[in-house]
Structures are given as C-alpha cells and as structure tokens.
Amino acid sequence: MARSNFSVLTILTVTLLLPVLSLSFSPDSPSDRRLLVLLDDLSLKSSLSIFFNSLKSRGFDLDFKLADDPKLALQRYGQYLYDGLILFSPSIERFGGTLDLAAVLDFVDSGHDLLIAADSSASDLIKSVATECGVDFDEDPSALVIDHKSYAVAGTEGDHTLIAADDFIESDVLLGKNKIEAPVLFKGIAHSLNAANTLVLKVLSASPSAYSANPSSKLSSPPSLTGSSISLVSVIQARNNARIMITGSLDMFSNRFFRSSVQKAGSPKKYDKSGNEQFVTELSKWVFHERGHLKAVNLRHNKAGETDEPAMYRIKDDLDFSVEIYEWSGKSWEPYVADDVQVQFYMMSPYVLKTLSNDKKGLYHTSFKVPDVYGVFQFKVEYNRLGYTSLLLSKQIPVRPFRHNEYERFITAAFPYYGASFTMMAGFFIFSFVYLYHK
C-alpha cells in the first residue's frame, strides 16, 4: 500500500512539473528564462545589484552560486536547467561540481547564451573559455588598458587606466535605438579578436591612443595590443544563434561605475552619469534574446489564383509565395519589417532569386514563374543580418514537364517546319502529276 501511494505521488509530482519545464524552455518566449550567475564572492550580489535587478525586472530568474560550489551542474537527466550563464568569477581556477571548460562549450553549442566578465585577476580557465569563443585576452597577467588621451578625468590615479570609451558599434539592434551619449567607464584588461573567427564583433573599441601594458612599470618593448585593435567589449552570435558577450572589465557592471559622473580627457563636457548602465542594459537585452530574435512561420506557396498548396508544379506555372516573420520585443512578437528578405527557388543552385515585398504587418510575399526545368526544387529562405538571429527555411516541391496532351496544338516556332512539310507534299503531288501525264 505504501509503495502504491509513493508511485501515485511520484506520477503527480512529475505531471505538475512537466508544464513548468516546458514553459522554461519554450522557444516561443525566448526571454522568459533562467540564468545561472557564478560569482567569486557572494558580496558581488550587492556591488552589482543594479545590473542584477535590471535583469530581474525584465522577467529573468537569477540563480546565484559560487563558482567553486561542489554541487554545480548545468544539466540534469539530459535536460539543461538554465538558458543562460553569467560568469562573474574571473579568478576561478577550476569550477565546482560537473562544470568545466567542455561543459561550458557544450552549453553554448546547445544554443544557450553566455556572458563573461574578466579583470586583472583573470585565470587561465576564463581566458580559455574566451579563446574558444574567438577572443584572446592579453597574455601578460599584469597588463591593463592604458590610454593617455581618452582617460576619465575623475579618479585617474595618475596611471590613466580608467578609460572613458565612446567608440560604439553603429547598430540599433545591438545597442537600442536611443543613442548612448555619455562615455562608458572601463577599467580592466584588453582583448583582441581572432581573425579566423568571422562571427566576433567589437561592440566597444579602444581609441587609437590606447595600449595594453603594466601601468606600474616602464615599457621595455612595444606592447602587443595597441590602438583600435583592442576590443573592450565583444559579442559573438554562433551559427546556432547562441549569443556570447565578453569583456575585460567586471567593474563596468558595478553600481559605482553606473552612478559615477564622467568627463573624458580633452572634452569640456561633463556627464552627471556614465553611459555604463544604458550600455550594459541594452547589450544584455540583445545577449539574452530580448531583441533581434526572429522567427518565421506559415511558409506557403500555391498556384496563382488558387489557395491550396499543390503536391507539385508544372514548368512555367505562375505561383505565389509567402512567409511571416516576427521579432521578439521582450514581451511579445511584433511584425519584422525589412526590405532585404529573399526567397530562392533552388535545385543544386538558385534558378529564381526574388526579393520579398512586405505589408508592414509581418507578411512577406512574391510571385514568379516556375523555370522551364523539371526536377525536385526547394523554396529556400536564408536570412542573415547583423545582430539578428539567422533564419533558414526550406520546403521541397517537385516540378514536372508538360504531359503529351498539354502542349500547344500548333507551336509558333514550328511554323517553318509546318511550311516545309506542306511544300514537300505539294511538290511531290505536282511531280507525280507531271511524270504520269506528260508525253
């Protein structure tokens, strides 16, 4: 009896949990997700509270843990427990539990998001994670970004390592439509982009006068990283649409930098508040798919003048094609409006390439004639645009030639052959008549 009651209780528990799990991992609500935040010290929860509260106010469920927690795990029973990972533990030498470098990379390879913030204490483990993502931190452990022209006037401490950076990427989808007026305060280590990785983007670059070196010692050789080749904040969108943000400054997320006033050296204008909060908030919206996340639905095609989708087309048929594309706004799906979405009618190579028109309500459509080639074709939509999740849709459809009774009775191009045939018959008749009756 006790065993029976236990079985019933287990079934009821699983039944109640299944809707919760399915909601947590629903692709139709990409920003309703759980984030695991790994910290070196739990005191960071208070010193970075503005940033964390911003995430919570936007519907994220944050799970704070120490990076060396022996019970750390990203998945259980083959199912991931989190949709995003925030590594605010730059000095960690080894993760706790089942988490390691391979587990973090598998997490990203499974389509999940990652945010990494390092500083001057960055360990080899954190640098290895960044390297695998296409970003290389300065190998000198004592080096910081130094800029003698674009430093922040307040609190320079004479070493010019507190940078006032304002070289942002020009992208509304990454940084929002509202321009960031105030410079961003940055104090940390430099990194460069791996030239072999074409997916990495510099979101915040250092000025041409910046370089990476030890601020407490004189330069004995030219620094390895200089000028605008130094990236302060970089992002990556993988081919599976997983998003990664990497920066060498944990202080950039701190309450102190969020609330600090800023004045860039050489500029007479002083801002009461740095651009850190706006910059970090807007960029985190992109990283965690609150912006720039597209979905395509209702791919349809039919013969012109009809509504039903046919099993196959005939060469030279006129057809209509349509697809609906929407963008996640953070709360709901809104129509995506663009003029560069194209469809291919594809068999080994595109026979037809058409730019789709849109009705400003998310519906993209076009019409074209099936090429005079039969075989197995695909309607293919491949859409890749900076900052947006990529779309890849395809639908297979066969194309047949004309049947024997579908050709025109008389083909205009064959008129010379018709004339030649009748001329030949007339000539034979005249020749026969003359041959038989001529004396």
Side-chain angles (χ1 to χ4, degrees):
M1 182 68 179
R3 180 176 295 179
S4 176
N5 290 338
F6 177 76
S7 300
V8 172
L9 181 60
T10 302
I11 294 171
L12 288 174
T13 303
V14 172
T15 304
L16 290 172
L17 284 177
L18 277 176
V20 177
L21 288 173
S22 62
L23 179 63
S24 300
F25 298 98
S26 171
D28 290 329
S29 182
S31 63
D32 184 15
R33 313 189 303 168
R34 282 193 84 195
L35 303 179
L36 174 62
V37 184
L38 298 184
L39 307 173
D40 276 337
D41 189 339
L42 290 179
S43 63
L44 288 173
K45 287 176 63 176
S46 58
S47 61
L48 309 178
S49 61
I50 297 177
F51 173 65
F52 292 140
N53 289 335
S54 171
L55 292 175
K56 291 177 181 177
S57 67
R58 287 160 21 212
F60 289 95
D61 181 11
L62 305 185
D63 187 5
F64 296 95
K65 291 185 177 181
L66 290 174
D68 57 358
D69 189 327
K71 296 182 179 179
L72 273 184
L74 289 176
Q75 58 179 322
R76 185 176 298 155
Y77 307 122
Q79 180 70 57
Y80 278 105
L81 304 173
Y82 306 96
D83 296 289
L85 175 62
I86 299 177
L87 295 181
F88 281 175
S89 51
S91 63
I92 188 68
E93 294 289 346
R94 183 177 180 180
F95 294 120
T98 60
L99 191 60
D100 56 12
L101 173 61
V104 173
L105 298 179
D106 287 341
F107 184 73
V108 175
D109 288 340
S110 300
H112 300 89
D113 306 319
L114 176 64
L115 194 160
I116 303 174
D119 59 17
S120 58
S121 65
S123 65
D124 290 339
L125 175 60
I126 295 299
K127 290 182 178 180
S128 296
V129 175
T131 299
E132 292 293 335
C133 296
V135 164
D136 298 317
F137 281 109
D138 195 333
E139 295 180 357
D140 185 352
S142 60
L144 294 174
V145 180
I146 304 172
D147 196 329
H148 299 301
K149 288 187 177 180
S150 296
Y151 60 89
V153 172
T156 60
E157 301 174 0
D159 56 9
H160 298 168
T161 56
L162 182 59
I163 311 298
D166 55 7
D167 189 3
F168 306 106
I169 189 173
E170 295 183 5
S171 173
D172 289 347
V173 67
L174 287 170
L175 298 180
K177 295 181 179 179
N178 296 326
K179 184 179 179 182
I180 302 174
E181 300 290 345
V184 169
L185 291 174
F186 180 96
K187 186 180 180 69
I189 58 177
H191 67 264
S192 60
L193 309 188
N194 189 330
N197 192 330
T198 58
L199 303 176
V200 190
L201 293 173
K202 284 192 287 187
V203 178
L204 182 61
S205 303
S207 73
S209 58
Y211 62 95
S212 177
N214 186 344
S216 60
S217 63
K218 292 184 178 181
L219 285 173
S220 58
S221 60
S224 57
L225 295 177
T226 59
S228 54
S229 64
I230 295 176
S231 179
L232 306 180
V233 181
S234 300
V235 296
I236 304 101
Q237 179 166 278
R239 291 184 175 87
N240 62 358
N241 290 327
R243 291 173 174 175
I244 305 167
M245 172 183 169
I246 300 175
T247 180
S249 175
L250 181 58
D251 288 334
M252 190 176 69
F253 297 86
S254 68
N255 298 350
R256 182 168 62 90
F257 277 24
F258 276 17
R259 294 168 177 162
S260 176
S261 60
V262 60
Q263 182 179 0
K264 187 175 180 178
S267 173
K269 190 170 185 179
K270 183 176 182 180
Y271 297 89
D272 294 332
K273 186 178 180 181
S274 71
N276 288 54
E277 184 173 1
Q278 182 183 356
F279 174 76
V280 167
T281 300
E282 294 298 329
L283 191 55
S284 68
K285 288 180 180 179
W286 178 85
V287 172
F288 297 123
H289 291 262
E290 294 174 88
R291 189 168 51 235
H293 186 101
L294 302 179
K295 76 169 181 177
V297 295
N298 298 331
L299 188 152
R300 297 172 181 166
H301 58 88
N302 54 265
K303 292 182 181 179
E306 300 181 6
T307 55
D308 294 333
E309 185 175 306
M312 69 172 60
Y313 287 102
R314 188 189 66 184
I315 59 174
K316 296 186 177 180
D317 273 348
D318 291 313
L319 64 83
D320 298 326
F321 173 86
S322 65
V323 65
E324 296 176 31
I325 302 178
Y326 298 94
E327 180 184 1
W328 182 250
S329 67
K331 296 181 180 179
S332 62
W333 291 101
E334 304 292 339
Y336 176 68
V337 180
D339 57 2
D340 57 353
V341 183
Q342 295 181 321
V343 62
Q344 304 174 44
F345 199 55
Y346 188 94
M347 184 177 68
M348 303 298 288
S349 61
Y351 281 76
V352 176
L353 179 62
K354 294 276 288 186
T355 300
L356 302 178
S357 304
N358 70 83
D359 63 353
K360 310 296 184 183
K361 298 179 181 179
L363 178 65
Y364 290 79
H365 57 89
T366 191
S367 301
F368 60 89
K369 186 182 291 290
V370 177
D372 191 6
V373 179
Y374 59 87
V376 180
F377 282 81
Q378 284 184 332
F379 292 99
K380 185 180 287 188
V381 176
E382 289 182 284
Y383 188 67
N384 296 285
R385 189 173 181 180
L386 177 66
Y388 290 93
T389 52
S390 57
L391 296 176
L392 177 57
L393 299 150
S394 63
K395 202 167 191 178
Q396 189 167 287
I397 189 78
V399 174
R400 65 172 177 84
F402 285 111
R403 296 192 182 99
H404 71 280
N405 60 350
E406 291 179 328
Y407 287 98
E408 297 178 20
R409 181 65 65 181
F410 295 103
I411 303 174
T412 304
F415 280 179
Y417 302 96
Y418 301 154
S421 299
F422 286 114
T423 302
M424 185 66 184
M425 287 188 287
F428 181 76
F429 176 78
I430 295 171
F431 172 79
S432 301
F433 181 81
V434 172
Y435 183 79
L436 292 173
Y437 296 101
H438 179 67
K439 293 182 179 179

